[in-house]
Amino acid sequence: MGDFHYVKIGDRECLQEWKDKISKELDKVMDFWIQHSEDKEYGGFFTCLSQEGIAYDDLKYIWLQGRQVWMYCRLYRKLPRFHRPEILKAAIAGGEFLLAHARPSSDSLKCAFVVTRDGRAVKIQRTIFSECFYVMAMDELWRTTQNEVYKKASREMMDQIAYWVREDASGLGRPELPGASPVNSMAVPMMMLNLVEQLCDEDEEATNKYELLGAWSVERILQHIQRDGLAILENVSEDGKELPGCIGRHQNPGHAIEAGWFLLRQATRHSDRTLAQTALEKFVLMPFSSGWDEEYSGLFSFQDVDGHCPTQLEWNMKMWWPHTEALIAFLLGYQETRDLQLLENFQTVLNYVFTRFPDPDHGEWFGYLSQEGKPQLTIKGGPFKGCFHVPRCLYMCEEILSTLLEEDDKAIAIC
Amino acid sequence: MGDFHYVKIGDRECLQEWKDKISKELDKVMDFWIQHSEDKEYGGFFTCLSQEGIAYDDLKYIWLQGRQVWMYCRLYRKLPRFHRPEILKAAIAGGEFLLAHARPSSDSLKCAFVVTRDGRAVKIQRTIFSECFYVMAMDELWRTTQNEVYKKASREMMDQIAYWVREDASGLGRPELPGASPVNSMAVPMMMLNLVEQLCDEDEEATNKYELLGAWSVERILQHIQRDGLAILENVSEDGKELPGCIGRHQNPGHAIEAGWFLLRQATRHSDRTLAQTALEKFVLMPFSSGWDEEYSGLFSFQDVDGHCPTQLEWNMKMWWPHTEALIAFLLGYQETRDLQLLENFQTVLNYVFTRFPDPDHGEWFGYLSQEGKPQLTIKGGPFKGCFHVPRCLYMCEEILSTLLEEDDKAIAIC
């Protein structure tokens, strides 16, 4: 796919063309996963897939198992063309794999980070993220199947995560060290807000139960607005102050933009105009402006707020996921505000993305480009890339564009 | 510095020109560290240094603290122009910092991975490497000062490491997991062999004590020759078999070449011609041949023995240290064998290195180049790059070239 050209941005014709292209790309991407990633013997998914879709490793990363179950269920539930028995079957097999093998010990809800093909734990991270994607999978699986086992599993795990995050983190196994001050890493409240949105959707009981957690998450995310409102910093102190050194100056534009659309959804649910404005200005537009590479286009992976060279070797690589988050954020922002500048930014990112990331030969996207935009890894999936950011973005953009087109229909009907 | 051109490789004129250039570069590199890295208030060294030598973070990584103490002592002890009181003073201050702060708990010899500027532990790795560089620092400091405190510290830690490696690793804190088979990672026996060489140098007591550990290390390194002798694999099973998946197919050309010169030194000490031949053929020449980028020159960082794309994002980057290891290995190999092919390889790497890595403006080397050879990070030091691989290489090459030139003098005198 090349550039998109329109008479006028935001016109019906423009929205329709975007929707068609995005919807076609979603089909292509899902075909790749459906064809190559399902483990028909043990359940769950192979995610270490080569350019052609061949499994070059059979390890199962729990983040990616949970995300793929979620994605399959969400598409099955929401888009009629994905309401197919084989998709449901694979999602359930993935869910059952997680129920049986995500937790290495039956005494604890702590999940592994990666397990063998048959489910034996290989590595455990001392964080909450495997558990969070487990919750997403279980909750979406419950909504899809109405099987209460999955609901119970998601709620149990959610309560455990909330306890680790808000009450006592010692169960995660991280040693307390005198030089390691507690850090408010933006990933944690972001993930919590994302889970609150997931669990509370059309569920009054959950909405009542998790409302305070949602508010707490928003407050913790907002603490990352630093430098007199001129920068989002990825890590701050527990009381919302800038931390010294690299950790304090660390910026992750894609993450800030993702936080932006999480906040925007929260603002919409609560009709909170101030929060919506903060989300768009501080978390979407500001990191997009400072994180965009003026020389070669694309979003940098990491930056240092003072302009030092980051120490992460991949700092200047253009990764798939910050760009998918930017697409969601700009389109959602436009839906909420009808600000055409957001739609122009959407188009800028869309043009960059569609000329660089998709693999025309074998489907799905390359994940890791050089600063100049050339693929550096040919893999379609690996320990951190699976069936998630690309299809979630395409599905959400398709859904938003459909809504915009429907509203346009209604407007015409009223005229 | 540009290309090196000589009438004939290996001639006296050629060796002398190399020695002069290398010796001048060593001075320039050490000037950078001496000028910018010493923490005169707390002792130890700043290693997070920008292109210009400005400290962009004051965290102290224990690997790099130990390595810099070792490097300062070694140069002080071996090269008259570095036998300067300020170098000894900084080395002692670094050693005292390690004695006081490397171990977070007085109950255990386990060292931190990184500490704050004033020595409070920030992070502990569940490996042996901080401890190994602590041993190197303490042993070299003892040899330099004759202060028995340092000798005692090095021997105590060495015995602890040997116990973790050969008897019981549970003190390192790694959980036993059903899917994580024990791995013989080449880094461990390599490090042990390196320490054995360090401790046994002109020390009969240590030689007797650690002889068996040296032999064990060699045996464990040789287990990494796989695929009918056609590949060095970084990780094998405890009984020397190839492991399944990415971990089993993982190759690290620079590491294999470094193991090559460790083995070559061991072979020389024991007059073991078979081992010397294996070291050169299997660990130096083979990885150099398969790890060298025919398109853009330079050594790849990581490869997959079956040609799959590695999952490490930096796999195709050209890092400083594999190239310094190759320079040492080829020159040492030539010294032992007088095989001119090894000297030609030395020249190939030297030309690549001197046209790409050194920073003509501020001294020291860039550490991280793109596949095409363009610096991707401008830092001179960071969590994994400090005052070690570059000056160790330059010092060792200068020493070998001096010996070759002296032998040439003697040969002429005999004529």
mmCIF file of all heavy atoms in Angstrom, chain A residues 6-20:
data_model
loop_
_atom_site.group_PDB
_atom_site.id
_atom_site.type_symbol
_atom_site.label_atom_id
_atom_site.label_comp_id
_atom_site.label_asym_id
_atom_site.label_seq_id
_atom_site.Cartn_x
_atom_site.Cartn_y
_atom_site.Cartn_z
ATOM 1 N N TYR A 6 -6.344 12.111 -0.800
ATOM 2 C CA TYR A 6 -7.784 12.432 -0.734
ATOM 3 C C TYR A 6 -7.985 13.856 -1.156
ATOM 4 O O TYR A 6 -7.093 14.698 -1.041
ATOM 5 C CB TYR A 6 -8.315 12.268 0.695
ATOM 6 C CG TYR A 6 -7.880 10.971 1.250
ATOM 7 C CD1 TYR A 6 -6.779 10.915 2.104
ATOM 8 C CD2 TYR A 6 -8.500 9.800 0.842
ATOM 9 C CE1 TYR A 6 -6.326 9.708 2.567
ATOM 10 C CE2 TYR A 6 -8.038 8.586 1.306
ATOM 11 C CZ TYR A 6 -6.957 8.528 2.171
ATOM 12 O OH TYR A 6 -6.513 7.338 2.622
ATOM 13 N N VAL A 7 -9.208 14.128 -1.584
ATOM 14 C CA VAL A 7 -9.567 15.503 -1.902
ATOM 15 C C VAL A 7 -9.496 16.307 -0.601
ATOM 16 O O VAL A 7 -8.837 17.324 -0.511
ATOM 17 C CB VAL A 7 -10.969 15.572 -2.532
ATOM 18 C CG1 VAL A 7 -11.312 17.015 -2.894
ATOM 19 C CG2 VAL A 7 -11.037 14.673 -3.773
ATOM 20 N N LYS A 8 -10.133 15.789 0.443
ATOM 21 C CA LYS A 8 -10.132 16.517 1.704
ATOM 22 C C LYS A 8 -10.128 15.532 2.868
ATOM 23 O O LYS A 8 -10.928 14.590 2.897
ATOM 24 C CB LYS A 8 -11.375 17.415 1.783
ATOM 25 C CG LYS A 8 -11.207 18.563 2.757
ATOM 26 C CD LYS A 8 -12.363 19.541 2.694
ATOM 27 C CE LYS A 8 -12.486 20.255 4.021
ATOM 28 N NZ LYS A 8 -13.856 20.419 4.440
ATOM 29 N N ILE A 9 -9.224 15.797 3.812
ATOM 30 C CA ILE A 9 -9.091 14.900 4.958
ATOM 31 C C ILE A 9 -10.370 14.937 5.794
ATOM 32 O O ILE A 9 -10.962 16.001 6.008
ATOM 33 C CB ILE A 9 -7.838 15.267 5.782
ATOM 34 C CG1 ILE A 9 -7.416 14.074 6.634
ATOM 35 C CG2 ILE A 9 -8.055 16.499 6.629
ATOM 36 C CD1 ILE A 9 -6.023 14.207 7.173
ATOM 37 N N GLY A 10 -10.813 13.756 6.241
ATOM 38 C CA GLY A 10 -12.005 13.683 7.074
ATOM 39 C C GLY A 10 -13.290 13.550 6.284
ATOM 40 O O GLY A 10 -14.346 13.245 6.856
ATOM 41 N N ASP A 11 -13.217 13.749 4.987
ATOM 42 C CA ASP A 11 -14.402 13.512 4.148
ATOM 43 C C ASP A 11 -14.824 12.055 4.211
ATOM 44 O O ASP A 11 -14.017 11.181 4.471
ATOM 45 C CB ASP A 11 -14.067 13.832 2.683
ATOM 46 C CG ASP A 11 -14.277 15.308 2.400
ATOM 47 O OD1 ASP A 11 -14.658 16.022 3.350
ATOM 48 O OD2 ASP A 11 -14.038 15.719 1.255
ATOM 49 N N ARG A 12 -16.079 11.847 3.898
ATOM 50 C CA ARG A 12 -16.623 10.498 3.887
ATOM 51 C C ARG A 12 -15.775 9.552 3.027
ATOM 52 O O ARG A 12 -15.443 8.436 3.435
ATOM 53 C CB ARG A 12 -18.043 10.545 3.324
ATOM 54 C CG ARG A 12 -18.725 9.213 3.403
ATOM 55 C CD ARG A 12 -20.126 9.151 2.889
ATOM 56 N NE ARG A 12 -20.508 7.760 3.048
ATOM 57 C CZ ARG A 12 -20.926 7.254 4.179
ATOM 58 N NH1 ARG A 12 -21.081 8.018 5.240
ATOM 59 N NH2 ARG A 12 -21.194 5.963 4.261
ATOM 60 N N GLU A 13 -15.375 10.039 1.881
ATOM 61 C CA GLU A 13 -14.596 9.232 0.936
ATOM 62 C C GLU A 13 -13.251 8.830 1.554
ATOM 63 O O GLU A 13 -12.789 7.698 1.418
ATOM 64 C CB GLU A 13 -14.383 10.071 -0.321
ATOM 65 C CG GLU A 13 -13.877 9.299 -1.510
ATOM 66 C CD GLU A 13 -13.429 10.259 -2.627
ATOM 67 O OE1 GLU A 13 -13.774 11.468 -2.559
ATOM 68 O OE2 GLU A 13 -12.734 9.793 -3.535
ATOM 69 N N CYS A 14 -12.665 9.782 2.229
ATOM 70 C CA CYS A 14 -11.383 9.553 2.910
ATOM 71 C C CYS A 14 -11.542 8.507 4.019
ATOM 72 O O CYS A 14 -10.788 7.534 4.095
ATOM 73 C CB CYS A 14 -10.901 10.893 3.472
ATOM 74 S SG CYS A 14 -9.781 10.822 4.859
ATOM 75 N N LEU A 15 -12.549 8.685 4.866
ATOM 76 C CA LEU A 15 -12.777 7.742 5.976
ATOM 77 C C LEU A 15 -13.064 6.344 5.439
ATOM 78 O O LEU A 15 -12.583 5.339 5.974
ATOM 79 C CB LEU A 15 -13.938 8.223 6.851
ATOM 80 C CG LEU A 15 -13.788 9.590 7.518
ATOM 81 C CD1 LEU A 15 -15.037 9.928 8.345
ATOM 82 C CD2 LEU A 15 -12.546 9.654 8.407
ATOM 83 N N GLN A 16 -13.873 6.294 4.387
ATOM 84 C CA GLN A 16 -14.249 5.001 3.803
ATOM 85 C C GLN A 16 -13.016 4.293 3.233
ATOM 86 O O GLN A 16 -12.832 3.089 3.430
ATOM 87 C CB GLN A 16 -15.298 5.199 2.694
ATOM 88 C CG GLN A 16 -15.848 3.894 2.122
ATOM 89 C CD GLN A 16 -16.658 3.105 3.150
ATOM 90 O OE1 GLN A 16 -17.571 3.635 3.793
ATOM 91 N NE2 GLN A 16 -16.298 1.832 3.351
ATOM 92 N N GLU A 17 -12.151 5.051 2.566
ATOM 93 C CA GLU A 17 -10.951 4.438 1.976
ATOM 94 C C GLU A 17 -10.022 3.908 3.074
ATOM 95 O O GLU A 17 -9.483 2.803 2.990
ATOM 96 C CB GLU A 17 -10.222 5.457 1.092
ATOM 97 C CG GLU A 17 -9.119 4.797 0.268
ATOM 98 C CD GLU A 17 -8.498 5.730 -0.774
ATOM 99 O OE1 GLU A 17 -9.154 6.714 -1.158
ATOM 100 O OE2 GLU A 17 -7.359 5.482 -1.181
ATOM 101 N N TRP A 18 -9.850 4.717 4.144
ATOM 102 C CA TRP A 18 -9.057 4.254 5.283
ATOM 103 C C TRP A 18 -9.648 2.972 5.860
ATOM 104 O O TRP A 18 -8.935 2.002 6.103
ATOM 105 C CB TRP A 18 -9.029 5.328 6.389
ATOM 106 C CG TRP A 18 -8.101 6.469 6.111
ATOM 107 C CD1 TRP A 18 -7.117 6.529 5.176
ATOM 108 C CD2 TRP A 18 -8.078 7.728 6.809
ATOM 109 N NE1 TRP A 18 -6.482 7.730 5.232
ATOM 110 C CE2 TRP A 18 -7.034 8.499 6.229
ATOM 111 C CE3 TRP A 18 -8.814 8.276 7.856
ATOM 112 C CZ2 TRP A 18 -6.723 9.779 6.673
ATOM 113 C CZ3 TRP A 18 -8.503 9.550 8.296
ATOM 114 C CH2 TRP A 18 -7.468 10.299 7.710
ATOM 115 N N LYS A 19 -10.954 3.002 6.069
ATOM 116 C CA LYS A 19 -11.597 1.835 6.685
ATOM 117 C C LYS A 19 -11.384 0.582 5.837
ATOM 118 O O LYS A 19 -11.059 -0.489 6.369
ATOM 119 C CB LYS A 19 -13.093 2.097 6.899
ATOM 120 C CG LYS A 19 -13.741 0.970 7.686
ATOM 121 C CD LYS A 19 -15.242 1.050 7.825
ATOM 122 C CE LYS A 19 -15.750 -0.330 8.144
ATOM 123 N NZ LYS A 19 -16.899 -0.747 7.394
ATOM 124 N N ASP A 20 -11.540 0.707 4.542
ATOM 125 C CA ASP A 20 -11.381 -0.462 3.668
ATOM 126 C C ASP A 20 -9.957 -1.012 3.725
ATOM 127 O O ASP A 20 -9.744 -2.221 3.835
ATOM 128 C CB ASP A 20 -11.738 -0.089 2.220
ATOM 129 C CG ASP A 20 -13.221 0.229 2.057
ATOM 130 O OD1 ASP A 20 -13.999 -0.100 2.992
ATOM 131 O OD2 ASP A 20 -13.595 0.832 1.040
#
